[in-house]
């Protein structure tokens, strides 16, 4: 992604265009343009792949071929993602006891009931 970000930024700067001008012309929000150029906060996105339509528009605006930029972006993103270690939350532990809280038909709760005889204690 870094190489693609550098290409986009260099292309824009060589043309002397500001991010605000790009936003006005393409209607791509500045914070997405910054992310595409490697300067924004990726945590603002649910998934980086949501940037692909913006990348296509931005590439066309800069005169770059989206048939080149999009596969490069996806390739770099998937490589980067596969090298990151995934951290999974701890498996929840369910604890069962010999007593449980029973909800009566009226919607009110009754005290603990023994599994052995079914009577309230």
């Amino acid at each position: 992604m870094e190489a693609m970000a550098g290409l986009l930024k260099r292309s824009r700067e060589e043309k002397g265009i500001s991010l605000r001008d790009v936003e006005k012309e393409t209607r791509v929000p500045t914070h997405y343009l910054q992310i595409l150029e490697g300067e924004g906060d990726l945590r603002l996105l649910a998934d980086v792949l949501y940037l692909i339509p913006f990348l296509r528009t931005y590439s066309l605006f800069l005169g770059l071929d989206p048939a080149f930029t999009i596969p490069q972006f996806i390739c770099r993103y998937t490589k980067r993602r596969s090298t990151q270690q995934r951290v999974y939350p701890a498996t929840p532990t369910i604890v069962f006891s010999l007593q449980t809280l029973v909800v009566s038909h009226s919607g009110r709760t009754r005290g603990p009931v023994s599994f052995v005889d079914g009577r309230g204690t």
Side-chain angles (χ1 to χ4, degrees):
M1 272 176 43
E2 294 79 22
M4 184 57 55
L7 174 66
L8 294 170
K9 187 172 184 176
R10 263 192 322 277
S11 296
R12 178 182 58 79
E13 289 175 345
E14 286 173 0
K15 295 176 188 288
I17 304 169
S18 72
L19 285 175
R20 295 252 184 236
D21 294 336
V22 175
E23 180 182 34
K24 287 178 187 173
E25 291 292 321
T26 63
R27 297 184 180 182
V28 175
T30 303
H31 61 275
Y32 290 136
L33 295 170
Q34 290 171 332
I35 291 171
L36 286 170
E37 289 189 354
E39 297 175 356
D41 189 0
L42 287 173
R43 294 177 298 175
L44 297 174
L45 300 171
D47 194 342
V48 176
L49 295 177
Y50 286 117
L51 290 173
I52 291 176
F54 298 126
L55 176 59
R56 182 182 192 292
T57 301
Y58 193 27
S59 296
L60 289 171
F61 177 78
L62 293 173
L64 301 172
D65 184 8
F68 170 76
T69 58
I70 292 172
Q72 288 292 320
F73 179 82
I74 292 171
C75 180
R76 301 256 189 240
Y77 172 68
T78 53
K79 280 183 185 177
R80 182 175 154 206
R81 195 169 185 192
S82 66
T83 59
Q84 293 175 345
Q85 285 188 351
R86 294 193 178 155
V87 177
Y88 295 102
T91 306
T93 305
I94 300 172
V95 178
F96 294 99
S97 67
L98 294 177
Q99 295 184 339
T100 185
L101 189 64
V102 177
V103 178
S104 69
H105 293 292
S106 66
R108 289 178 281 168
T109 58
R110 253 179 14 182
V113 176
S114 168
F115 281 114
V116 178
D117 60 11
R119 292 182 289 155
T121 54

